[in-house]
Amino acid sequence: MARIAVIGAGTGAMAAAARLAVAGHRVVVYERTETYGGAVRRFERDGFSFDTGPGLLPLPAVYRDLFLKTGKEPLEACVELVQVDPSARHVFADGTRLSVPNASRAGVVTALDEALGSGAGQRWGDFLVRAREAWDRTRRPLLEEPLWPNWSVLADREPYPAVPHKRLLRTRRATTLAEIGAWELRDPRLIALLESHALAFGLDPRVAPASAAVLPYLEHAFGTWYVRGGIRELARAVYERCVARRVEFVFGAEVTGVLEKDGRAAGVELAGGAVAEAEFVVAGVAPEVLSRVVGHAAARGADEVPPQRGLPSRMTVLLALRGGRPKEAAHRTVVHAPHRESELDGLFATAPAAPTASWRPTVTVLRPDDPELVPDPEHEAVTLTSVVPAGRPEPEVVDAYTEAMMRAAEQVVPELRERLLWREVRTPADIADATGAEGGAVPAPALAAGDGRLLHPSNSTAIPGLFTVGGWSHPGGGLPHAGMSGALVAGLIVEGPEFRGSQ
């Protein structure tokens, strides 16, 4: 039995802690804040309850596996999972509205033909077939195995089988997500549908590799799920599974350094000077925090994938409304920006400009049919989310973003302002405070190709005994990927460097 110190109580770190405890190790988690979950938080007021991080769960099989491997109770005995149908409604710039059935190829094809015109469903269906091939080619090396030492193979090889396209007297194949849309889908509404999946992860579709096609495929193939009571309930269940497996949590404990002895990690030092010895250290923290506690150059090898930089953040507006939720309301509606190129320029420019009075972003409107979130059936809890530049925005910028998001939401929530009791705004600064990530940046999932820009540093480091876990390390951001990173780190510690993932 080894002593293992875990830095941070994010979802990926807790997933690793539970697996390591089941393997017989003594695990202590040190969390600088007063609660668990990382960015998976909850805001409560006046009987209303809101998720302030992710609102939906893709690929629940990751957490089913975690609960299966760490105890007798399955995931569904600890939380209630609800499949969201339709998966989403989309309101496009021209006013067209589309409801996308959950995990049904035939249903999606029919819905697209009815909403966008004959042939739209066939083009999207053919795209999904190609996206599945990209998924099959990358699923194991990107999600189920530790990062390959020769990771540049993943960086150079584009797994998406793009359709040949004649352009300027040459035959070319799409290398970015935007080129897939322009050359293979063609309809601006299909393009917006495609690109919205990348944008939701803070990726610029104009430069995101074509392999980002796996993002809409994941939603199509495995469905979209909601956890009754909010996604925070999933974090609670993982935390309670850790406690049941005798993982110790120390809250309000900031780790200021990683101890080294004989060339390997030997424990952690806490603010105030206390020392906790350990044979292994697992760091579930943002790159900036890792740099402070161990030194970036020391933790990563010379041939290591660098951490992702320059990623945007998210703004969340929580709305408490009088009047019950209409039965016909969709759980999730994506209201697309009227001018996609202007939106992308504003988000991904080197120096993003402050929003103007006429500017409107793509906004995701969540309206869960969940009585646990409201004081009574005569009220509704609505969450608006949009991708915004990372940083600590000034109050007037926050106000401008909030107003733009409200204008978008008014398209799908009738009488929104008349029904409004109060609103709460969560900015990138709040994410930064919760996670330690610079400017509240949110990591994206790992993707192949694109010169490795969207790969993540491996879970092993140049310091023996020190491992990293969570969204800022392999295989990247998002709840499923965080859970997968926990499984990889546990495998590397339990089985050693020869571990190659589950079979």
Side-chain angles (χ1 to χ4, degrees):
M1 178 180 74
R3 294 169 298 178
I4 301 176
V6 179
I7 308 173
T11 311
M14 291 195 296
R19 290 176 181 271
L20 289 166
V22 166
H25 299 295
R26 179 187 173 190
V27 184
V28 182
V29 178
Y30 299 92
E31 168 57 46
R32 66 180 180 85
T33 71
E34 298 300 330
T35 190
Y36 54 84
V40 183
R41 299 292 178 97
R42 173 183 286 154
F43 178 80
E44 297 177 333
R45 174 182 165 186
D46 300 339
F48 290 88
S49 182
F50 302 86
D51 283 320
T52 60
L56 294 170
L57 177 65
L59 209 59
V62 173
Y63 290 92
R64 290 189 178 113
D65 181 74
L66 170 65
F67 278 72
L68 177 67
K69 300 291 177 55
T70 59
K72 296 180 180 179
E73 284 189 314
L75 175 62
E76 279 82 357
C78 302
V79 298
E80 182 182 353
L81 288 177
V82 180
Q83 194 164 23
V84 177
D85 199 13
S87 176
R89 284 184 182 158
H90 291 263
V91 179
F92 298 107
D94 66 352
T96 303
R97 298 185 176 226
L98 165 71
S99 290
V100 180
N102 198 337
S104 168
R105 185 181 188 278
V108 170
V109 169
T110 299
L112 283 166
D113 281 343
E114 292 177 351
L116 308 187
S118 178
Q122 182 67 49
R123 290 199 299 279
W124 185 259
D126 291 345
F127 156 74
L128 287 176
V129 171
R130 295 188 291 273
R132 176 179 179 174
E133 188 170 338
W135 166 254
D136 290 340
R137 291 174 177 176
T138 61
R139 175 182 57 84
R140 184 160 182 81
L142 281 182
L143 302 180
E144 299 176 0
E145 297 180 350
L147 187 69
W148 292 352
N150 59 335
W151 59 265
S152 59
V153 174
L154 299 173
D156 297 336
R157 184 180 301 165
E158 174 54 69
Y160 179 78
V163 176
H165 173 77
K166 286 191 175 181
R167 182 175 175 84
L168 300 177
L169 303 179
R170 292 190 301 157
T171 298
R172 299 182 59 186
R173 293 179 182 269
T175 59
T176 67
L177 200 66
E179 288 175 343
I180 291 176
W183 300 351
E184 299 179 14
L185 299 179
R186 301 189 294 280
D187 187 306
R189 296 162 298 183
L190 283 180
I191 293 171
L193 175 62
L194 169 68
E195 294 184 350
S196 66
H197 290 84
L199 187 61
F201 285 103
L203 299 176
D204 185 346
R206 299 170 300 185
V207 297
S211 63
V214 300
L215 300 177
Y217 173 75
L218 277 172
E219 183 171 304
H220 163 77
F222 303 107
T224 303
W225 299 79
Y226 172 68
V227 179
R228 184 73 67 188
I231 293 295
R232 176 67 178 179
E233 285 299 291
L234 176 65
R236 174 199 56 77
V238 176
Y239 168 73
E240 290 180 355
R241 176 54 53 90
C242 286
V243 173
R245 301 282 81 82
R246 300 185 183 278
V247 174
E248 180 182 351
F249 285 81
V250 184
F251 294 107
E254 182 179 3
V255 174
T256 57
V258 172
L259 304 177
E260 293 185 53
K261 183 178 181 181
D262 299 327
R264 62 172 289 120
V268 296
E269 182 176 357
L270 306 176
V275 168
E277 296 182 349
E279 283 76 46
F280 297 94
V281 176
V282 177
V285 295
E288 296 78 20
V289 180
L290 183 66
S291 297
R292 289 197 298 271
V293 300
V294 71
H296 184 79
R300 303 297 187 192
D303 60 347
E304 183 61 273
V305 176
Q308 291 185 14
R309 301 288 185 180
L311 290 169
S313 185
R314 296 190 183 100
M315 181 86 76
T316 304
V317 181
L318 314 175
L319 304 176
L321 305 182
R322 62 172 62 89
R325 176 187 183 274
K327 290 184 178 180
E328 69 275 11
H331 188 121
R332 175 177 57 164
T333 301
V334 180
V335 184
H336 292 264
H339 305 291
R340 177 56 60 91
E341 199 68 23
S342 297
E343 177 188 32
L344 298 179
D345 286 342
L347 284 174
F348 300 106
T350 304
T356 63
S358 61
W359 178 82
R360 185 170 65 70
T362 294
V363 175
T364 298
V365 181
L366 296 181
R367 306 178 72 181
D369 183 11
D370 188 347
E372 296 183 28
L373 305 184
V374 292
D376 57 59
E378 300 306 314
H379 293 85
E380 183 180 7
V382 176
T383 301
L384 314 180
T385 305
S386 187
V387 177
V388 300
R392 292 185 176 270
E394 295 296 329
E396 59 271 20
V397 174
V398 173
D399 290 344
Y401 274 121
T402 302
E403 179 59 28
M405 294 169 68
M406 292 285 288
R407 289 198 303 270
E410 284 180 296
Q411 296 185 57
V412 295
V413 185
E415 300 179 335
L416 174 61
R417 295 181 195 268
E418 291 82 354
R419 297 175 58 197
L420 182 64
L421 293 171
W422 50 262
R423 71 188 184 194
E424 177 77 15
V425 180
R426 316 301 286 181
T427 73
D430 295 305
I431 297 176
D433 293 341
T435 66
E438 185 176 354
V442 178
L447 294 172
D451 298 323
R453 293 188 310 274
L454 292 172
L455 296 176
H456 291 258
S458 66
N459 308 105
S460 302
T461 73
I463 300 175
L466 174 64
F467 299 85
T468 63
V469 71
W472 292 102
S473 58
H474 181 72
L479 281 171
H481 295 70
M484 293 172 191
S485 75
L488 292 175
V489 167
L492 287 166
I493 291 176
V494 173
E495 298 188 24
E498 69 278 1
F499 174 69
R500 290 296 176 267
S502 58
Q503 299 297 322

